[in-house]
Amino acid sequence: MKTKIFTMNGQNDEAYIKEAAALLQDGEVVAFPTETVYGLGADATNEAAIAKIFQAKGRPSDNPLIVHVATKGQLNELVQVYPSYVDTLITTFSPGPITYVLKRKNNVATNVTAKLDTVGIRIPNNDVALRLLKEVDLPIAAPSANMSGRPSPTKASHVYDDLNGKIAAIVDAMEAEVGVESTVIDCTGDVPLILRDGAITKEAIEAVVGEVRTLSKKEKMEKPKSPGLKYKHYAPEVPLILVENNALLQEIVDHYEAEGNRVGVIVTKKMAENIEAAHKIVIGNKDVEIAQMLYDTLRSLKKDQFDVVVSQSFSIEGVGLAIMDRLTRAATEIVYK
Ligand code: TXA
Ligand code: MG
């Protein structure tokens, strides 16, 4: 399949949005930008179109997709009555990097929700995504637009690297500004439950709705409420060692270098000043900068340059919790203590 590239440049944008929307209405798969990561979209009401997403990504069929809509009205059409705190969350955080898991009606294709009686829905905060969703006027299921197991895409070029030739089109706009996927929050109970950490933090949610539950480490790993949590994710090409205690970072780097490895070390600007290593990969300083650079950094780690890459741990303030969650899943090995 020849993949069309629609580069949003302010010239032909309207025509490109129309063409991309027409492909989606025809049951084709189209990648598009969101504020978190690029998504791989298809008509959520069309089972055959959804099957193409799983096919293109090589995604296990028991991992449900998030449905994207432009408005709260469209969200309401897909779900049953929900707790009143959901209204507060939508008013406060949507459009934005948050996905609500709600009791569904029967109007999305069964392969979107992997046989669950719930559906995850989100209103992305990205101009191109919202224009496309309005134009297509259908709920659009969209997982991250990477091959299953690879780091998520924050640039159109990442999508191209993974999926060129396998999908109908890529809408190429700017780099995703958040850089990690949305916070997924189960809103089927009296108290909201965070299933996946993202840029909208527990503290931010608590501030508007009161009590919020989170999964314990054990729950996350053992009995995933969010089926996607159990799969290996975000793996770079090169083995990645995550050092939990940054006081040990130098020692671990020295150890791998002494063995004759070509070692890369992922560090903040600040940490870079205190570490001696042949190859430092600097990833910003603040949590929001690190989040934005994370997947691009993981994708840039190539076998022909490194035998192993060691990463420091980052503060779990703000979006830092999501960063550490993704790094933990990406790591081949974690050095505790
Ligand atoms: O930021 C995002 O959420 C991006 C952009 C493209 O919107 N999408 C994304 O989709 O990250 P994906 O498919 O890579 O991750 C969806 C996550 C998975 O962990 C999945 O298991 C969970 O959401 N999920 C989806 N529907 C669910 C449901 N009904 N119940 C529980 N978890 C659900
Ligand atoms: Mg994903």
Side-chain angles (χ1 to χ4, degrees):
M1 177 185 294
K2 174 114 178 71
T3 300
K4 291 186 177 177
I5 313 285
F6 302 129
T7 304
M8 303 298 283
N9 55 11
Q11 307 276 304
N12 309 317
D13 294 7
E14 205 46 50
Y16 285 154
I17 295 270
K18 285 213 160 75
E19 207 176 327
L23 286 168
L24 287 166
Q25 286 162 342
D26 271 355
E28 293 300 335
V29 172
V30 176
F32 63 95
T34 84
E35 81 280 34
T36 56
V37 299
Y38 273 69
L40 190 59
D43 175 359
T45 66
N46 178 339
E47 181 140 9
I50 297 305
K52 292 181 190 172
I53 292 181
F54 285 93
Q55 173 79 28
K57 281 188 59 117
R59 181 176 175 110
S61 63
D62 66 347
N63 192 3
L65 308 180
I66 292 172
V67 175
H68 296 65
V69 295
T71 65
K72 186 180 177 185
Q74 287 178 311
L75 177 149
N76 286 337
E77 281 173 31
L78 304 175
V79 298
Q80 299 181 24
V81 176
Y82 44 69
S84 60
Y85 66 76
V86 178
D87 287 308
T88 312
L89 292 176
I90 294 173
T91 307
T92 313
F93 298 116
S94 295
I98 184 165
T99 297
Y100 311 103
V101 171
L102 301 163
K103 291 266 185 217
R104 64 171 171 80
K105 290 182 187 156
N106 286 325
N107 46 9
V108 295
T110 50
N111 51 352
V112 169
T113 59
K115 296 190 180 133
L116 298 171
D117 59 3
T118 55
V119 59
I121 308 186
R122 126 172 164 85
I123 306 175
N125 186 19
N126 174 283
D127 180 53
V128 172
L130 288 171
R131 280 164 70 189
L132 180 61
L133 289 168
K134 281 182 186 142
E135 181 66 35
V136 73
D137 199 25
L138 286 166
I140 296 295
S144 48
N146 51 284
M147 284 303 286
S148 212
R150 300 255 299 140
S152 298
T154 53
K155 297 175 176 175
S157 63
H158 297 158
V159 181
Y160 184 89
D161 289 344
D162 279 17
L163 295 168
N164 181 40
K166 295 183 174 172
I167 58 176
I170 300 171
V171 181
D172 175 354
M174 55 189 279
E175 191 172 342
E177 60 264 39
V178 175
V180 295
E181 302 86 344
S182 61
T183 304
V184 177
I185 176 160
D186 181 337
C187 300
T188 58
D190 293 339
V191 176
L193 168 67
I194 296 178
L195 300 178
R196 180 174 73 183
D197 296 306
I200 309 283
T201 60
K202 177 176 188 242
E203 292 71 29
I205 297 169
E206 270 171 350
V208 292
V209 299
E211 192 191 353
V212 174
R213 285 216 317 121
T214 53
L215 296 169
S216 66
K217 248 190 188 159
K218 210 170 151 216
E219 279 176 305
K220 272 188 195 165
M221 291 304 167
E222 278 176 6
K223 230 183 139 221
K225 266 213 143 200
S226 195
L229 296 177
K230 71 173 182 244
Y231 292 106
K232 181 82 198 162
H233 267 327
Y234 318 115
E237 220 179 271
V238 180
L240 177 69
I241 315 294
L242 176 60
V243 178
E244 196 176 61
N245 177 357
N246 289 339
L248 299 178
L249 188 62
Q250 186 69 59
E251 192 183 313
I252 305 290
V253 171
D254 293 348
H255 164 79
Y256 282 105
E257 285 190 342
E259 282 185 340
N261 294 296
R262 297 165 304 161
V263 181
V265 52
I266 300 178
V267 281
T268 60
K269 270 188 206 132
K270 228 179 182 173
M271 182 70 84
E273 292 166 17
N274 302 318
I275 288 290
E276 269 181 53
H279 300 278
K280 295 179 202 171
I281 304 155
V282 178
I283 190 171
N285 253 335
K286 291 198 207 103
D287 61 337
V288 290
E289 296 164 0
I290 297 165
Q292 215 213 353
M293 292 178 72
L294 181 66
Y295 292 136
D296 190 47
T297 302
L298 293 180
R299 281 177 172 266
S300 74
L301 309 176
K302 298 291 180 199
K303 275 191 260 187
D304 54 15
Q305 195 184 3
F306 300 116
D307 297 309
V308 62
V309 171
V310 179
S311 175
Q312 72 163 85
S313 284
F314 301 100
S315 154
I316 56 168
E317 293 296 303
V319 71
L321 194 59
I323 294 168
M324 287 304 293
D325 168 65
R326 308 307 191 270
L327 263 181
T328 302
R329 292 171 199 284
T332 328
E333 195 184 318
I334 302 174
V335 180
Y336 293 103
K337 252 184 15 106

